[in-house]
Amino acid sequence: MKKSKMVQFLLFFSVLALILSIIGVASIWFGQKNHQVKETNKQTTQSETKVDKKQDTFKITALGDSLTYGVGDTEGGGYVRVVENFYKKTTKNVENVNLAISGARSDQLLKQLDQKEVQNQIKSADVILMTIGGNDLFRGGEALEDFNSDAITQAETSYKNNLQQIYQTIRKLNPSAPVFHIGLYNPFMTLENATEMSNVVAKWNMESQNLTHQEKDIVYVPTFDLFQQNGEAYLATDKFHPNHAGYQFIGNRVTEVIQTGGDGSDDGASTSSN
């Protein structure tokens, strides 16, 4: 009887030891697995937040439509090149990454901001340049026929909603780099309804300017006045985009804003918007 109890006792502890061993092995395995998962997540996070920027380089990231792309400038570079050359006067290494797409509307730029590479270029920027809205407004010339219609009112509402999201997205990706949004001008000053079209352009500019005050370090740079007088002399052969002299005009305005306090401060934003 005593022998039977002893056997049962030893059997019980043998089973218990086996269970504890299994638990111990499982704990080690799960611990290693969790560590591997954490390391993988850590590496993934580091990869996602990695930004593309060379060391000791001042980076300009340019966004928007054909005006930022430089369409019409026979010598190339557009106003972005003017701003780049301005920074090169005081900064040794300046990098210009132009992500603008000719013909882009505000909804298309907003969608472009979802792209990981575009986000990385924004994250690593020291300054951001942007033009948008011309294609929303003019719509390939359609606005010249219906600038007082419901269609243009609807386009304005959509543009404002998109622009607000664009501002918020850029600021979320890069909280510190100043953003210079170059405003609209009226390229149709020689047409019969030029005054009416200018009024619409001015209204869109005012709406955009008001939105800049809702976000930190976003400066609206006006160009409307640059093309009101003798604007045709600064347009390319398509009579819509600036020529080389016109882009120089715009680039000089941007650098003037930068030099006079357009660094993203409240005073700079107010000054540049007048």
Side-chain angles (χ1 to χ4, degrees), residues 194-237:
T195 300
E196 290 84 352
M197 193 72 248
S198 288
N199 290 337
V200 175
V201 173
K203 186 173 184 292
W204 280 51
N205 281 336
M206 182 61 68
E207 296 288 356
S208 300
Q209 172 190 331
N210 290 338
L211 287 176
T212 64
H213 298 314
Q214 299 178 19
E215 299 294 332
K216 179 183 177 183
D217 295 346
I218 296 183
V219 183
Y220 197 77
V221 182
T223 63
F224 182 80
D225 59 306
L226 300 180
F227 293 83
Q228 282 298 101
Q229 300 295 328
N230 199 29
E232 192 173 11
Y234 298 102
L235 294 178
T237 54

Side-chain angles (χ1 to χ4, degrees), residues 42-262:
K42 182 179 179 182
Q43 292 173 1
T44 301
T45 301
Q46 290 176 342
S47 176
E48 290 178 348
T49 57
K50 181 182 178 182
V51 294
D52 180 19
K53 182 180 178 181
K54 299 175 183 177
Q55 190 174 6
D56 299 326
T57 297
F58 185 90
K59 183 172 182 178
I60 301 170
T61 296
L63 305 167
D65 52 29
S66 55
L67 293 182
T68 294
Y69 189 80
V71 173
D73 186 354
T74 56
E75 297 186 30
Y79 80 88
V80 178
R81 182 62 54 79
V82 178
V83 178
E84 179 185 1
N85 290 336
F86 165 78
Y87 281 112
K88 283 183 176 179
K89 293 178 182 178
T90 56
T91 306
K92 185 176 181 180
N93 298 315
V94 179
E95 180 184 6
N96 165 17
V97 178
N98 196 327
L99 302 175
I101 300 174
S102 182
R105 300 186 308 271
S106 59
D107 61 320
Q108 293 170 323
L109 173 57
L110 185 60
K111 187 175 182 180
Q112 186 187 15
L113 296 181
D114 288 333
Q115 299 175 17
K116 183 61 63 176
E117 178 58 27
V118 173
Q119 291 179 353
N120 286 340
Q121 298 295 352
I122 292 174
K123 289 177 182 179
S124 60
D126 293 292
V127 64
I128 298 169
L129 305 175
M130 182 179 78
T131 58
I132 201 68
N135 295 303
D136 296 70
L137 171 56
F138 297 116
R139 290 168 289 138
E142 291 182 24
L144 297 175
E145 302 297 330
D146 63 355
F147 53 81
N148 287 320
S149 71
D150 292 338
I152 203 166
T153 301
Q154 293 174 2
E156 180 182 359
T157 300
S158 297
Y159 167 69
K160 288 190 295 183
N161 290 335
N162 292 333
L163 185 61
Q164 185 174 38
Q165 293 181 65
I166 289 168
Y167 285 167
Q168 292 172 350
T169 301
I170 292 175
R171 192 42 68 227
K172 183 178 180 180
L173 291 169
N174 190 326
S176 59
V179 179
F180 296 97
H181 181 176
I182 291 81
L184 303 175
Y185 62 89
N186 180 12
F188 305 112
M189 290 305 300
T190 59
L191 300 184
E192 183 178 350
N193 55 4
T195 300
E196 290 84 352
M197 193 72 248
S198 288
N199 290 337
V200 175
V201 173
K203 186 173 184 292
W204 280 51
N205 281 336
M206 182 61 68
E207 296 288 356
S208 300
Q209 172 190 331
N210 290 338
L211 287 176
T212 64
H213 298 314
Q214 299 178 19
E215 299 294 332
K216 179 183 177 183
D217 295 346
I218 296 183
V219 183
Y220 197 77
V221 182
T223 63
F224 182 80
D225 59 306
L226 300 180
F227 293 83
Q228 282 298 101
Q229 300 295 328
N230 199 29
E232 192 173 11
Y234 298 102
L235 294 178
T237 54
D238 62 7
K239 303 301 179 183
F240 185 81
H241 296 94
N243 55 23
H244 180 71
Y247 278 118
Q248 188 73 39
F249 225 10
I250 295 174
N252 289 342
R253 172 61 60 82
V254 178
T255 60
E256 286 170 4
V257 171
I258 295 172
Q259 293 179 88
T260 56

